[in-house]
Amino acid sequence: MWRISYWVLPILSCFFWAATLLILLIYWLANGRPIYASMDPTQTIAYISDVGATSLKPLFIVGCCLTTIFLDLSLLSEFWLRHNGRLAENISQSQKALVWLSLVCAANGTAGLILLSVFDTLRYRQLHNIFLVVFIAGYLLSAIFICWEYQLLGKYHRQHSILRRSFWLKLGFIITELALVAVFATFSFVRDFDTAAIFEWIIALIFSLYVFSFFIDFIPSIKTRTQKGVRLANEMQHETDNELMGDRR
């Protein structure tokens, strides 16, 4: 039975991020694709941050905060579940080191996303761009360390095929996002801001799929939760039986 548990965290994170993006995009389209003050004179397609710097800024900030909170909770929960044997355990020191590196990088990505939403592109363009780089670099590095961790986990736990599937999903995300970020940066450099804006929206939407991929990682914990409950019940029953036998003696 699928009770509400840790697996809901990445789904919530994905939902808040996708919902935020869709609201911003629909708002811009519904208002006749306006040209905002933060946009370049040659630009006709708004960046996410251009729309996020308008009256929807509070929503943008809340959306970014909720996305990162639930994503970080997902990463921390996965670490806790592996530590407690509910998921394939990290055995080697290198695996544990990769976990901590991924968490540190994710924390940087979290700070970057929240701060770029606060320091909008209209009023704090330079700071906004710095935090954008921190956000992208933080979560990409986190994904790389997670992918590396899963690759090592797969060697120790060959019976868990879900590790391989998750590894390939996250590796696909890393390769795709790196390629798209390179294209985005190239078009920004040559000042083709409309094309760059399109790629920014695509990159952001793909990020929501990466977040959702952690749902797959939590699936085994649903079974181990039941198994752990059964083992605990059996142990308690065994202890009770022993106590009763002792009293009879």
Side-chain angles (χ1 to χ4, degrees):
M1 183 177 179
W2 285 62
R3 298 178 181 177
I4 294 178
S5 186
Y6 301 100
W7 58 266
V8 79
L9 295 173
I11 291 178
L12 286 173
S13 179
C14 177
F15 168 78
F16 286 123
W17 182 242
T20 301
L21 293 177
L22 287 174
I23 291 172
L24 293 176
L25 181 59
I26 292 170
Y27 177 83
W28 178 66
L29 293 173
N31 282 279
R33 301 174 60 170
I35 305 298
Y36 297 118
S38 59
M39 296 169 65
D40 188 84
T42 63
Q43 184 183 347
T44 60
I45 299 177
Y47 286 100
I48 297 169
S49 300
D50 290 324
V51 188
T54 64
S55 58
L56 290 184
K57 181 175 179 177
L59 180 141
F60 187 41
I61 294 173
V62 171
C64 290
C65 289
L66 290 174
T67 297
T68 53
I69 287 170
F70 284 106
L71 177 54
D72 290 349
L73 285 175
S74 299
L75 298 176
L76 289 169
S77 297
E78 184 184 357
F79 169 72
W80 187 85
L81 289 170
R82 293 198 189 284
H83 179 72
N84 285 274
R86 295 273 304 279
L87 292 173
E89 295 183 64
N90 288 302
I91 299 173
S92 67
Q93 292 300 317
S94 57
Q95 291 172 10
K96 295 175 182 178
L98 289 170
V99 171
W100 285 109
L101 286 171
S102 69
L103 291 174
V104 170
C105 290
N108 287 328
T110 294
L113 182 56
I114 293 174
L115 289 171
L116 74 83
S117 66
V118 174
F119 295 95
D120 60 75
T121 188
L122 176 61
R123 302 168 186 84
Y124 313 96
R125 184 177 295 273
Q126 187 173 1
L127 276 175
H128 178 85
N129 290 335
I130 291 172
F131 292 132
L132 176 62
V133 172
V134 172
F135 161 58
I136 294 174
Y139 277 115
L140 269 177
L141 285 172
S142 177
I144 290 171
F145 289 128
I146 290 172
C147 203
W148 192 354
E149 175 203 355
Y150 282 20
Q151 193 267 338
L152 294 178
L153 278 169
K155 290 183 178 180
Y156 283 93
H157 304 281
R158 295 183 182 276
Q159 70 276 22
H160 297 295
S161 60
I162 199 167
L163 288 170
R164 290 191 297 275
R165 289 196 291 269
S166 187
F167 165 79
W168 287 112
L169 276 172
K170 289 174 175 58
L171 182 62
F173 162 79
I174 293 168
I175 294 171
T176 302
E177 289 288 68
L178 280 174
L180 290 174
V181 167
V183 173
F184 166 75
T186 301
F187 280 113
S188 297
F189 181 76
V190 299
R191 301 184 65 81
D192 186 349
F193 297 115
D194 283 346
T195 306
I198 292 172
F199 276 97
E200 185 194 47
W201 285 96
I202 294 172
I203 290 167
L205 287 169
I206 291 177
F207 179 69
S208 66
L209 298 178
Y210 166 71
V211 174
F212 183 79
S213 74
F214 287 96
F215 163 72
I216 299 172
D217 301 333
F218 284 114
I219 291 176
S221 69
I222 299 169
K223 296 180 180 179
T224 55
R225 176 184 180 180
T226 304
Q227 293 168 358
K228 188 174 182 179
V230 171
R231 286 198 303 271
L232 182 60
N234 289 336
E235 289 172 2
M236 292 176 66
Q237 184 62 47
H238 182 68
E239 290 176 1
T240 302
D241 292 343
N242 287 339
E243 289 175 1
L244 290 172
M245 290 295 292
D247 292 340
R248 289 175 183 175
R249 291 174 184 173

